């Protein structure tokens, strides 16, 4: 007895994205932990999942990867456009540490926050609100870099007046030889940024879906809201907005390189992200699972090894 055998007539009907094949998802999650790195035919030759044994290691390794990309592009005399997440966050402290240790200037860096909370019309929280992603980035990354930080004129946030111009500005930077690096986490419903799986129903083809650069006032899935209630709002669901401004696959799939992170571990053996990680790596590319396209791009996905499972019952 499980969800598959009790799904009919339950409240889960119409709740989970309709394009999800639950039997296939269950099969993805049934592999032994040691099989998680087995290469799949659709993976990019330069895509690499990297296991981390502890959260401290994860933060350092991911932070080093980001800092090294900034250092490398500076040494090459190239601009770099970074699409930046708020979640995971622990790596920013270490990116700052390495950049300051190496005395690296970020004057060649252009930062594009991938999303921001909003209302249904796209209006966002004040930049100083403790729940605002702009505030989080200032406190975690831009501010601590001090004199070597990213110039304010090169910081972009997903406000309704700025987000529609991301695509054109990134295209200009790439035309000038800039490298586009997408840093990302994976949502409970396998979103990238706040590009949700249910958006897939709106497009006639995969190519049309892939062309979408952004969305203002995106309707969030309930699992996304609850994930953020647990991870960022101390369980207080009533504080989480139900909409967001977000980039789309028309931007995150343009990446020259990706740097991903999956750190969804709680205490006492509990976690929320193992299924999402396995779906990302094993389901195969589909707009109904936006993160499933990320292994088709070159780069690295760091993950805590506990997420590999085994994904079996453990009563807490």
């Amino acid at each position: 007895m499980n969800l598959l055998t009790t799904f009919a007539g339950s409240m889960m009907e119409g709740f989970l994205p309709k394009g999800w094949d639950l039997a296939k998802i269950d099969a993805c999650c049934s592999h032994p932990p040691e099989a998680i790195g087995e290469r799949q035919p659709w993976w990019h030759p330069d895509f690499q999942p990297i296991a981390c044994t502890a959260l401290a290691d994860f933060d350092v390794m991911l932070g080093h990867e980001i800092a090294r990309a900034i250092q490398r592009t500076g040494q090459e005399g190239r601009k770099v456009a970074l699409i930046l997440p708020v979640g995971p966050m622990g790596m920013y402290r270490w990116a700052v540490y390495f950049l300051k240790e190496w005395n690296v200037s970020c004057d060649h860096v252009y930062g594009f926050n991938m999303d921001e909370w909003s209302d249904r019309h796209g209006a966002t929280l004040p930049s100083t609100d403790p729940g605002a992603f702009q505030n989080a980035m200032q406190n975690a990354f831009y501010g601590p870099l001090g004199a070597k930080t990213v110039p304010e004129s090169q910081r972009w946030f997903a406000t309704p007046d700025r987000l529609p111009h991301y695509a054109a500005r990134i295209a200009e930077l790439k035309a000038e030889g800039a490298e586009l690096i997408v840093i990302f986490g994976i949502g409970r419903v396998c979103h990238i940024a706040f590009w949700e799986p249910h958006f897939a129903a709106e497009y006639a083809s995969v190519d049309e879906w892939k062309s979408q650069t952004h969305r203002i006032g995106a309707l969030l899935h309930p699992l996304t809201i609850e994930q953020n209630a647990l991870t960022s709002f101390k369980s207080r669901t009533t504080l989480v907005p139900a909409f967001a401004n977000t980039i789309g696959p028309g931007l995150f799939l343009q990446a020259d390189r990706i740097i991903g992170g999956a750190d969804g571990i709680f205490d006492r053996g509990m976690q929320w992200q193992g299924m999402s990680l396995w779906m990302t790596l094993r389901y195969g590319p589909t707009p109904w699972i936006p993160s499933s396209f990320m292994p088709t791009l070159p780069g690295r996905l760091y993950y805590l090894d506990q997420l590999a499972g085994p994904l079996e019952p453990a009563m807490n």
Side-chain angles (χ1 to χ4, degrees):
M1 184 186 300
N2 56 28
L3 180 62
L4 278 67
T5 63
T6 61
F7 188 76
S10 75
M11 292 186 70
M12 295 298 277
E13 283 191 308
F15 176 77
L16 294 177
K18 68 177 183 179
W20 281 15
D21 182 334
L22 296 183
K24 187 173 180 179
I25 290 171
D26 192 58
C28 289
C29 297
S30 67
H31 298 286
E34 59 272 17
I36 196 166
E38 292 178 356
R39 301 197 66 81
Q40 303 302 302
W42 58 87
W43 288 11
H44 191 282
D46 294 328
F47 171 75
Q48 183 182 15
I50 297 179
C52 306
T53 58
L55 181 59
D57 296 345
F58 172 92
D59 288 342
V60 172
M61 294 165 72
L62 193 52
H64 181 272
E65 184 84 9
I66 294 168
R68 182 69 187 97
I70 292 172
Q71 182 193 49
R72 173 180 55 79
T73 50
Q75 291 170 339
E76 294 169 352
R78 302 178 66 187
K79 295 177 181 178
V80 61
L82 301 179
I83 292 182
L84 299 162
V86 174
M89 287 292 289
M91 72 282 188
Y92 288 123
R93 179 168 69 96
W94 286 102
V96 169
Y97 172 81
F98 287 116
L99 290 169
K100 294 177 82 169
E101 278 289 296
W102 302 335
N103 196 32
V104 173
S105 172
C106 292
D107 57 5
H108 65 297
V109 176
Y110 292 74
F112 296 82
N113 256 57
M114 58 172 44
D115 45 23
E116 182 61 271
W117 301 115
S118 78
D119 63 15
R120 69 175 61 247
H121 306 294
T124 53
L125 293 168
S127 62
T128 57
D129 189 284
F133 293 168
Q134 183 170 347
N135 183 65
M137 289 304 300
Q138 175 62 30
N139 292 335
F141 189 57
Y142 293 133
L145 282 171
K148 300 285 188 178
T149 194
V150 178
E152 287 194 30
S153 63
Q154 294 168 200
R155 305 176 194 173
W156 292 68
F157 298 98
T159 53
D161 59 324
R162 297 280 274 174
L163 179 60
H165 300 287
Y166 274 28
R169 186 66 187 108
I170 289 173
E172 291 171 355
L173 289 167
K174 293 191 78 170
E176 296 168 4
E179 184 172 334
L180 176 61
I181 298 176
V182 175
I183 303 162
F184 68 95
I186 300 169
R188 173 67 175 161
V189 288
C190 298
H191 64 215
I192 298 297
F194 277 135
W195 194 264
E196 300 284 63
H198 52 272
F199 300 166
E202 302 175 24
Y203 303 105
S205 68
V206 174
D207 286 342
E208 184 184 0
W209 178 87
K210 284 184 174 182
S211 72
Q212 306 304 307
T213 60
H214 68 283
R215 183 171 291 211
I216 299 291
L219 179 68
L220 300 180
H221 194 278
L223 283 177
T224 293
I225 295 169
E226 194 59 13
Q227 172 206 320
N228 281 274
L230 297 177
T231 59
S232 299
F233 289 85
K234 304 291 181 67
S235 80
R236 194 171 165 187
T237 304
T238 54
L239 290 181
V240 187
F243 300 86
N245 298 337
T246 181
I247 65 166
L251 289 183
F252 62 73
L253 295 184
Q254 284 189 38
D256 296 304
R257 186 166 181 81
I258 61 171
I259 302 173
D263 63 345
I265 297 293
F266 293 136
D267 200 1
R268 294 187 288 125
M270 294 183 286
Q271 57 153 288
W272 63 268
Q273 206 176 21
M275 183 179 81
S276 308
L277 177 62
W278 275 104
M279 290 169 69
T280 298
L281 295 173
R282 286 296 183 99
Y283 195 98
T286 171
W288 287 100
I289 301 173
S291 62
S292 65
F293 284 91
M294 302 315 282
T296 69
L297 299 169
R300 291 175 168 177
L301 171 57
Y302 294 87
Y303 66 94
L304 289 177
D305 60 2
Q306 301 99 305
L307 295 174
L311 301 186
E312 297 174 350
M315 300 300 102
N316 285 290

